[in-house]
């Protein structure tokens, strides 16, 4: 069954700290993996996209990793800011219109 | 640059009433268009996608329908809303052959 599982479900951290969000998938075939950030009540916005041959991709304070062998990805956020409070969604594409979304990790950054 | 619009932003409707949500894309031609529903604590569920005018594919059987009367316009409709239709509805577009979907701001629908 094609699934994308994210952990933790929610996370609370202090401003300035780092954190890592996890994504495990059982999607096949694999085309690419993306991380989205979704602010409450808004549409998701893409942070990174990685294909099979890429194992790391950075976007400012966000760094995503991909291990295609173990089918795991992580999103590391460095020096968190209050504006990082949002849901982070892992999305795996099988190619074409076949896209599987994770349920997301809800991150709360507290002052 | 490309932009995507959805309206209304929020909607409260009684059970049994009709629904029409609109999505338009600017700055691109012949995009692939998508309608998703997002329930609280759940992943996005693909409802419909379209590769061109008048071409609609449905992913799940349901109380909703979609139409694409123009190249950059995508409409989500229902003749009679159910309580279970409540949710956050997102429209997205993608360049044909592209990797990334770009999402609209969403519509929060509450059916009472």
């Amino acid at each position: 069954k094609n699934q994308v599982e994210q952990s933790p479900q929610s996370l609370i951290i202090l401003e300035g700290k780092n954190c890592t969000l996890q994504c495990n998938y059982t999607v096949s075939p694999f085309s690419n993996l993306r991380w989205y950030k979704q602010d409450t009540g808004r549409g998701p916005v893409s942070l990174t996209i990685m294909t099979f041959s890429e194992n790391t991709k950075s976007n400012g304070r966000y760094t995503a990793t991909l291990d295609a062998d173990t089918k795991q990805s992580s999103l590391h956020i460095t020096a968190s800011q209050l504006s990082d409070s949002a849901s982070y969604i892992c999305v795996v594409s099988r190619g074409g219109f076949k896209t599987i979304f994770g349920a997301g990790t809800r991150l709360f950054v507290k002052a | 640059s490309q932009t995507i619009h959805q309206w209304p932003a929020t909607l409260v409707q009684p059970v049994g009433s009709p629904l029409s949500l609109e999505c338009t894309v600017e700055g691109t031609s012949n995009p692939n268009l998508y309608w998703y529903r997002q329930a609280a604590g759940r992943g996005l569920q693909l409802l419909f996608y379209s590769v061109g005018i008048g071409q609609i594919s449905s992913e799940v059987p349901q109380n909703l329908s979609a139409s694409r009367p123009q190249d950059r316009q995508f409409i989500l409709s229902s003749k009679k809303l159910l309580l279970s239709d409540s949710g956050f509805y997102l429209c997205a577009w993608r360049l044909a052959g592209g990797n990334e979907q770009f999402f609209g701001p969403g519509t929060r629908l509450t059916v009472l």
Side-chain angles (χ1 to χ4, degrees), chain A residues 9 31-32 34 36 38 41-46 49 51 89 96-99 101-103, chain B residues 32 34 36 38 41-44 46 49 51 59 88 90 94 99-101 103-106:
Chain A
Q9 191 173 34
S31 177
N32 59 70
R34 287 161 286 164
Y36 282 89
Q38 184 177 21
R42 308 289 295 274
V45 175
S46 178
I49 179 170
T51 59
I89 303 172
F97 297 96
K98 304 298 183 182
T99 302
F101 288 78
Chain B
N32 294 331
Y34 306 79
Y36 291 91
Q38 186 177 34
R42 307 282 294 274
L44 273 70
L46 178 63
Y49 65 89
V51 299
E59 284 293 291
F88 192 53
L90 287 159
R94 184 184 70 144
N99 279 330
E100 185 174 351
Q101 293 182 38
F103 288 86

Side-chain angles (χ1 to χ4, degrees), chain B residues 4-54:
Chain B
I4 178 169
H5 304 278
Q6 284 186 246
W7 65 91
T10 60
L11 189 60
V12 180
Q13 291 283 98
V15 169
S17 64
L19 173 74
S20 181
L21 303 181
E22 190 162 342
C23 170
T24 59
V25 181
E26 296 177 357
T28 187
S29 296
N30 197 31
N32 294 331
L33 297 172
Y34 306 79
W35 276 112
Y36 291 91
R37 176 167 55 207
Q38 186 177 34
R42 307 282 294 274
L44 273 70
Q45 179 187 34
L46 178 63
L47 302 176
F48 301 95
Y49 65 89
S50 171
V51 299
I53 296 174

Side-chain angles (χ1 to χ4, degrees), chain B residues 62-81:
Chain B
Q62 58 205 308
N63 184 42
L64 302 168
S65 62
S67 62
R68 186 170 177 175
Q70 300 180 43
D71 181 46
R72 289 168 289 178
Q73 183 185 30
F74 206 22
I75 298 172
L76 184 68
S77 304
S78 174
K79 292 182 179 178
K80 286 186 175 182
L81 284 169

Side-chain angles (χ1 to χ4, degrees), chain A residues 15-108:
Chain A
E15 185 179 14
K17 297 296 186 182
N18 304 335
C19 68
T20 300
L21 314 181
Q22 299 290 343
C23 173
N24 296 336
Y25 61 93
T26 57
V27 178
S28 181
F30 176 88
S31 177
N32 59 70
L33 184 147
R34 287 161 286 164
W35 283 93
Y36 282 89
K37 177 186 179 186
Q38 184 177 21
D39 293 318
T40 300
R42 308 289 295 274
V45 175
S46 178
L47 294 174
T48 65
I49 179 170
M50 289 179 290
T51 59
F52 184 88
S53 60
E54 297 174 295
N55 54 27
T56 187
K57 185 72 71 78
S58 291
N59 178 0
R61 294 180 297 101
Y62 301 101
T63 299
T65 64
L66 173 65
D67 185 334
D69 292 331
T70 61
K71 298 188 176 182
Q72 296 179 325
S73 176
S74 65
L75 180 69
H76 185 75
I77 304 175
T78 304
S80 61
Q81 300 176 359
L82 296 178
S83 59
D84 292 331
S85 295
S87 288
Y88 292 85
I89 303 172
C90 176
V91 183
V92 179
S93 174
R94 301 175 62 201
F97 297 96
K98 304 298 183 182
T99 302
I100 314 297
F101 288 78
T105 291
R106 189 75 176 92
L107 175 65
F108 300 89

